[in-house]
């Protein structure tokens, strides 16, 4: 689960910073696939995975800056440009990776701490991963600190909330947004490189398979708060691994669906304990009832099975269910989203 969630943590954290600056970049999928192919090529040719991650971050940042130039300087539509960026990245990555299919990259070494990594149970749970996993977690903490406890972070949030007021105070809105866009691209590129170098140590065309879109959904799920990004990434990463294990073990899908709904219900309860929304508790009750119904059906039909193609839909269906549940309270969603998100800024306005 941790390994499956790490690309989502990296890409979602970068996109969160971008959206906090008031920019909506839908090109996360394209930047991730470019990071995947560039990082793979560099790691194979150099024999050093670290070089692959670094160059993948640079490739993602460069692709993101193309988006930034088009949207912030030429004032193109952010939604259309982001979609075009995804299509461009998918096509270019397929072209670049044609001759690298079937090649194994050099192994990314795990973080091995003497005496600690070999500790029973906890050693495997907490200290058996590669350095990128811990880097991603540290990055979330650094972004939280930057946004909430530093002056540049406050300025970035101000730009995202009201770019006209920030410009009137003398802040360079376009420069700040371009920096945020480049950071988001670098994070997405590293997330893509993690896919091709660690999670699936191989290159195949279209290997991101919609992970970039799930990363976008996690930002909304997290209510634009860095700490919740980890929870969202672990939830969707867990669902991804769960459906793979279901296919391998040929388990009863009704029972698994009930478990997934129960997990989503627990997450919704955690959110509503803070918001105390009446509509939220209604949604919690509805999801809980569905979970109980699924479990009752699983007991009634213990041999019920589904084709693997349907099971592969599970992470995306879970994304839809969670987003619908979260966005039901439109007032709260509007209050959490940056006020200038997606709006065009021009200094002459």
């Amino acid at each position: 689960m941790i390994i499956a969630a790490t690309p989502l943590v990296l890409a979602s954290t970068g996109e969160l910073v971008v959206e906090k600056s008031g920019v909506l970049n839908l090109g996360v999928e394209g930047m991730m696939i470019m990071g995947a192919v560039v990082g793979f090529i560099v790691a194979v040719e150099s024999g050093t995975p670290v070089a692959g991650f670094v160059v993948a971050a640079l490739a993602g940042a460069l692709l993101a800056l193309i988006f930034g130039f088009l949207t912030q300087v030429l004032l193109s539509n952010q939604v259309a440009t982001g979609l075009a960026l995804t299509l461009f990245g998918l096509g270019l990555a397929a072209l670049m990776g044609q001759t690298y299919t079937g090649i194994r990259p050099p192994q990314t070494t795990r973080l091995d701490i003497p005496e600690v990594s070999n500790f029973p149970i906890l050693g495997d749970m907490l200290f058996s991963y590669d350095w990128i996993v811990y880097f991603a977690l540290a990055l979330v903490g650094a972004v939280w600190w930057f946004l909430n406890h530093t002056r540049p972070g406050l300025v970035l949030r101000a730009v995202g909330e009201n770019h006209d007021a920030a410009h009137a105070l003398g802040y360079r809105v376009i420069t700040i947004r371009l920096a945020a866009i480049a950071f988001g691209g670098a994070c997405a590129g590293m997330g893509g490189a993690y896919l091709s170098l660690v999670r699936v140590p191989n290159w195949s065309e279209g290997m991101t398979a919609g992970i970039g879109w799930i990363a976008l959904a996690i930002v909304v799920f997290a209510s634009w708060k860095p700490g919740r990004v980890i929870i969202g990434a672990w939830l969707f990463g867990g669902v991804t691994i769960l459906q793979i294990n279901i296919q391998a073990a040929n388990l009863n899908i009704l029972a698994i669906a009930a478990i997934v709904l129960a997990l989503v219900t627990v997450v919704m309860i955690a959110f509503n304990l803070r918001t105390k929304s009446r509509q939220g508790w209604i949604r919690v009750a509805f999801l809980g009832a569905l979970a109980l119904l699924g479990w009752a059906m699983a007991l009634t039909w213990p041999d019920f099975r589904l084709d693997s193609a349907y099971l592969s839909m599970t992470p995306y269906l879970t994304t839809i269910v969670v987003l619908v549940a979260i966005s039901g309270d439109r007032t709260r969603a509007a209050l959490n989203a940056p006020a200038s998100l997606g709006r065009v800024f021009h200094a002459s306005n």
Side-chain angles (χ1 to χ4, degrees):
M1 181 190 72
I2 300 299
I3 293 174
T6 297
L8 292 171
V9 172
L10 289 167
S12 301
T13 302
E15 179 62 18
L16 183 142
V17 173
V18 175
E19 294 191 13
K20 277 290 189 180
S21 71
V23 178
L24 179 62
N25 185 357
L26 298 182
V28 178
E29 183 87 359
M31 295 181 295
M32 288 190 74
I33 194 70
M34 279 300 297
V37 68
V38 171
F40 187 86
I41 292 172
V42 172
V44 168
E45 296 297 337
S46 67
T48 307
V50 175
F53 282 107
V54 172
V55 179
L58 293 175
L62 179 61
L63 200 61
L65 285 175
I66 296 175
F67 166 86
F69 176 76
L70 293 173
T71 57
Q72 304 305 307
V73 179
L74 301 184
L75 304 181
S76 66
N77 183 274
Q78 294 182 16
V79 173
T81 307
L83 294 175
L85 186 69
T86 290
L87 297 175
F88 174 74
L90 289 171
L92 183 58
L95 177 65
M96 294 176 62
Q98 283 183 345
T99 59
Y100 287 88
T101 303
I103 299 176
R104 297 282 295 184
Q107 185 176 5
T108 302
T109 56
R110 78 170 199 173
L111 186 64
D112 190 9
I113 304 175
E115 304 298 333
V116 177
S117 297
N118 297 326
F119 196 80
I121 302 178
L122 290 179
D124 289 335
M125 290 177 60
L126 302 177
F127 303 101
S128 61
Y129 308 108
D130 52 88
W131 65 272
I132 291 292
V133 171
Y134 304 102
F135 173 81
L137 297 176
L139 182 66
V140 175
V143 166
W144 173 83
W145 178 265
F146 172 78
L147 292 175
N148 294 284
H149 296 281
T150 67
R151 181 178 178 84
L154 179 61
V155 171
L156 184 141
R157 289 165 51 200
V159 168
E161 293 296 334
N162 192 327
H163 50 221
D164 294 322
H167 174 68
L169 290 173
Y171 296 113
R172 298 178 179 273
V173 174
I174 293 177
T175 302
I176 292 170
R177 286 184 169 174
L178 286 175
I181 290 169
F183 175 80
C187 291
M190 289 191 69
Y194 192 85
L195 285 174
S196 60
L197 295 178
V198 180
R199 179 176 166 183
V200 185
N202 203 341
W203 161 254
S204 60
E205 183 178 341
M207 67 181 306
T208 49
I211 291 179
W213 300 108
I214 295 179
L216 285 163
I218 288 175
V219 176
V220 181
F221 169 82
S223 302
W224 291 270
K225 297 182 184 297
R228 297 181 184 177
V229 165
I230 297 178
I231 298 174
W234 284 354
L235 172 65
F236 294 114
V239 171
T240 300
I241 295 302
L242 187 61
Q243 63 92 10
I244 293 174
N245 290 332
I246 292 171
Q247 294 182 40
N250 197 26
L251 299 177
N252 188 325
I253 186 61
L254 292 174
I256 301 303
I259 294 173
V260 171
L261 284 172
L263 290 175
V264 174
T265 303
V266 171
V267 173
M268 292 300 301
I269 290 173
F271 272 90
N272 283 286
L273 286 176
R274 296 187 61 183
T275 61
K276 299 180 180 179
S277 169
R278 182 179 178 181
Q279 292 181 349
W281 288 116
I282 293 174
R283 291 192 294 274
V284 166
F286 177 72
L287 290 174
L290 284 180
L292 292 175
L293 177 62
W295 191 254
M297 293 174 65
L299 295 176
T300 305
W301 296 292
D303 297 325
F304 186 84
R305 301 291 186 272
L306 276 181
D307 186 81
S308 60
Y310 294 102
L311 291 174
S312 299
M313 298 165 52
T314 306
Y316 310 101
L317 291 176
T318 304
T319 303
I320 295 172
V321 170
V322 171
L323 286 180
V324 169
I326 291 294
S327 61
D329 190 348
R330 297 182 179 180
T331 302
R332 184 168 64 87
L335 289 175
N336 286 326
S340 295
L341 182 62
R343 289 175 51 196
V344 175
F345 168 78
H346 194 276
S348 62
N349 288 345

